[in-house]
Amino acid sequence: MRRCSECVAAGNELVLFTKGRERSTDDECPICSRLLPLEDNKWMLQTCCMKTTCLGCAYQTRMSDDCPFCRAPNAVSYEEDFPTIKKRVDVGDPVAIHYLGDSYMKGINGFERDVPKAVELLERAAALGSKEAHLQLGVLFDRFSVDWGIDKDLARAVGHYEFAAKQGKALSRHNLGVIEHNTGSKGLALKHFMISAKLGDTDSLEKSRTCSKGG
Ligand SMILES: [Zn+2]
Ligand SMILES: [Zn+2]
Ligand SMILES: [Zn+2]
């Protein structure tokens, strides 16, 4: 059985399955307090204040072009946006550092793709507690490592997935289930899938059904 560092310290394997069974309060829209949808295209990051709002709240101020949270006028270009982001990165805001790392990783938001730079930023954000950065690093070392010129490192991936999963990150929990399933630990896989299904991941719901039928 795989044990995270916390489990080893606690002398058992249970920590990983007792933490992160609910989504955390920082997954709520700061305006309406509803949990943000898990799907990528159903929420919006406001780069002025680095708050993520639901689309409903985001569109409420669309007409006035202000941020629905801090009321700052929306930047009209990436160039105009950058000094604000840079300022937040410099003071160590994990959301801003993750945003910049993600932008370099994907080559979006006005940035050229630069994987080594992205990994450095994601690791900084992760060290500051960003569960999104942990998930992204997990995926990087688990799956896309060959394409991106990075050595696959499953132990490293699992460490990152476990951190985010213990904070209620559904996709991290799901990916731990996939790893357990692939290595033949069907029981542990099922435990992970049941938690991520409860967190709202529909793919996990399907997987937990197949798993419990012995698949
Ligand atoms: Zn553990
Ligand atoms: Zn909202
Ligand atoms: Zn704002």
Side-chain angles (χ1 to χ4, degrees):
M1 174 182 281
R2 204 187 317 273
R3 295 157 135 226
C4 72
S5 52
E6 255 185 281
C7 292
V8 173
N12 63 58
E13 298 90 7
L14 295 175
V15 176
L16 187 55
F17 292 104
T18 54
K19 286 190 176 177
R21 301 178 69 93
E22 308 276 338
R23 295 194 52 203
S24 67
T25 47
D26 57 324
D27 282 348
E28 288 171 2
C29 169
I31 298 170
C32 67
S33 297
R34 270 187 282 248
L35 276 170
L36 297 165
L38 293 179
E39 295 86 350
D40 266 355
N41 54 348
K42 296 202 171 147
W43 41 261
M44 200 178 278
L45 177 72
Q46 312 292 339
T47 48
C48 39
C49 50
M50 289 292 159
K51 296 285 181 195
T52 303
T53 69
C54 72
L55 287 188
C57 290
Y59 289 140
Q60 248 165 29
T61 53
R62 249 288 133 108
M63 305 314 270
S64 66
D65 258 0
D66 291 345
C67 167
F69 185 77
C70 73
R71 302 282 157 188
N74 280 341
V76 291
S77 65
Y78 294 127
E79 289 73 26
E80 194 188 308
D81 220 7
F82 187 65
T84 322
I85 295 162
K86 176 108 186 4
K87 215 182 282 175
R88 289 188 162 269
V89 168
D90 290 346
V91 298
D93 176 347
V95 183
I97 299 169
H98 172 252
Y99 172 87
L100 195 58
D102 183 50
S103 301
Y104 277 119
M105 184 58 76
K106 296 172 181 160
I108 55 169
N109 303 325
F111 296 91
E112 291 278 322
R113 175 180 261 193
D114 183 336
V115 176
K117 202 164 186 171
V119 172
E120 193 192 309
L121 285 160
L122 291 174
E123 280 178 340
R124 243 176 90 197
L128 290 164
S130 163
K131 58 184 191 291
E132 280 72 24
H134 275 288
L135 169 61
Q136 205 163 356
L137 286 165
V139 171
L140 187 70
F141 293 117
D142 177 11
R143 297 191 191 162
F144 298 102
S145 40
V146 178
D147 306 353
W148 292 349
I150 281 171
D151 289 335
K152 187 182 175 95
D153 189 336
L154 203 56
R156 207 163 162 190
V158 167
H160 285 298
Y161 282 154
E162 286 186 344
F163 184 99
K166 282 189 286 186
Q167 300 203 13
K169 193 82 191 159
L171 191 54
S172 271
R173 179 67 72 176
H174 171 266
N175 290 352
L176 284 174
V178 171
I179 289 173
E180 293 295 356
H181 195 267
N182 291 346
T183 53
S185 305
K186 301 281 167 76
L188 287 179
L190 180 59
K191 271 172 122 172
H192 283 305
F193 288 143
M194 282 170 77
I195 296 171
S196 47
K198 192 170 157 272
L199 293 169
D201 180 53
T202 45
D203 190 25
S204 295
L205 188 63
E206 200 51 51
K207 285 216 166 66
S208 66
R209 285 196 186 121
T210 334
C211 259
S212 53
K213 280 183 210 138

